[in-house]
Amino acid sequence: MIENMHKILIVDDSPSALALLNTLLSKEMTYRIYNAADAEEGLRIAKDVIPDIIISDYYMPGKNGLEFCQEIRKDKELSNVIFILLTAETDIVKKIEGLEGGVDDYIEKTISTKVLLSKVKIFLKIKFLQNELLWEKQNLQIANVQLENNINELIAVLLKILEIQIPGAGRRSNEAAKIAEYISKMNELDAEKTKNILFAAKLHEIGKIGLPEKINKSDLKNLEPR
């Protein structure tokens, strides 16, 4: 049961504010609540539990809530956590600054408890969909890697078959790949383009499979055009 609970981290230097939020959110039996008194403790707990949502006060000793959010966004494992700032701040400029700095939403301290709970529930739905997309993306990446491995294995098999018909084909294919890799580095091509060029270089001998054996085994320099 605990493993299926949504994890919410509340960060506030006010014990009374922590107690109020804990009482409110604990009514939902599917929430597991964690508490921290400042950004430093909050970051440590967040790294340990990987919460779904962080609700943080804006004004705290040390780093404020926005600075805390920016620290969260820098962490690869925490970068997708929903971050809500709880504040009395009404300055629209500061709110925009916060939203541009990685904050997902502001909740004013004067807001009703019903609205607060509704916002938390909505963001948990968003987090669920976000996790689903990440899961699909990871599965797609795994499938792509497997497909690439299968293609490379197929190329290796084809080159071995070709080597029987045309001795030296495998060696020439590897040499072409090394030359292609060198040229790619000299032209500072990115990893994806380099990978595609190396793939093509390895395939350049494959086209000879369909040639007549007489041509394959002939010295190409001595072939006469008709």
Side-chain angles (χ1 to χ4, degrees):
M1 176 65 178
I2 290 178
E3 290 182 357
N4 296 324
M5 283 184 164
H6 298 296
K7 292 176 283 189
I8 300 176
L9 171 61
I10 306 171
V11 184
D12 199 314
D13 62 312
S14 169
S16 59
L18 281 176
L20 179 62
L21 287 170
N22 271 272
T23 300
L24 177 64
L25 294 172
S26 294
K27 292 178 181 179
E28 297 290 330
M29 301 303 292
T30 57
Y31 299 167
R32 188 173 188 186
I33 312 301
Y34 300 86
N35 296 313
D38 54 39
E40 183 178 353
E41 183 183 14
L43 184 59
R44 178 179 58 79
I45 294 174
K47 287 182 176 181
D48 184 44
V49 304
I50 314 296
D52 297 295
I53 293 180
I54 295 175
I55 301 175
S56 173
D57 189 20
Y58 189 100
Y59 294 106
M60 298 183 293
K63 293 180 179 178
N64 63 34
L66 180 54
E67 292 169 333
F68 174 40
C69 176
Q70 290 168 344
E71 287 295 314
I72 291 293
R73 296 298 181 227
K74 289 177 185 177
D75 189 287
K76 186 177 179 180
E77 290 189 37
L78 298 171
S79 60
N80 292 315
V81 170
I82 300 296
F83 196 101
I84 299 173
L85 268 183
L86 187 64
T87 180
E89 188 62 62
T90 57
D91 187 340
I92 189 66
V93 175
K94 285 192 175 181
K95 286 187 175 182
I96 292 173
E97 178 188 0
L99 293 170
E100 290 178 345
V103 174
D104 291 296
D105 196 11
Y106 276 87
I107 295 181
E108 295 179 8
K109 290 187 175 181
T110 55
I111 202 170
S112 72
T113 55
K114 287 185 178 180
V115 174
L116 173 59
L117 280 174
S118 295
K119 284 201 170 193
V120 168
K121 288 178 180 179
I122 289 170
F123 274 113
L124 284 173
K125 288 180 181 178
I126 292 172
K127 182 62 178 161
F128 172 78
L129 293 174
Q130 188 181 70
N131 290 341
E132 286 284 295
L133 287 174
L134 287 173
W135 183 78
E136 290 292 340
K137 182 179 178 181
Q138 290 171 353
N139 282 345
L140 183 59
Q141 288 174 339
I142 293 172
N144 284 337
V145 170
Q146 185 60 52
L147 178 61
E148 187 176 326
N149 289 337
N150 290 343
I151 291 174
N152 286 331
E153 289 177 5
L154 176 60
I155 291 173
V157 171
L158 289 173
L159 287 174
K160 286 181 179 179
I161 294 173
L162 188 60
E163 188 77 27
I164 297 172
Q165 187 176 357
I166 311 172
R171 175 180 52 78
R172 288 190 296 274
S173 178
N174 290 329
E175 288 175 351
K178 289 179 181 178
I179 293 170
E181 184 176 17
Y182 173 77
I183 294 173
S184 297
K185 287 182 179 179
M186 291 296 292
N187 287 277
E188 298 181 346
L189 299 182
D190 61 42
E192 186 65 25
K193 287 182 179 178
T194 299
K195 183 175 71 174
N196 291 335
I197 289 172
L198 293 181
F199 178 75
K202 288 182 179 179
L203 286 175
H204 89 282
E205 289 279 337
I206 299 295
K208 295 179 181 178
I209 289 180
L211 291 176
E213 185 177 355
K214 181 179 179 181
I215 294 177
N216 281 330
K217 291 187 176 180
S218 299
D219 185 349
L220 299 181
K221 295 179 180 179
N222 297 326
L223 289 176
E224 296 181 0
R226 291 186 177 180

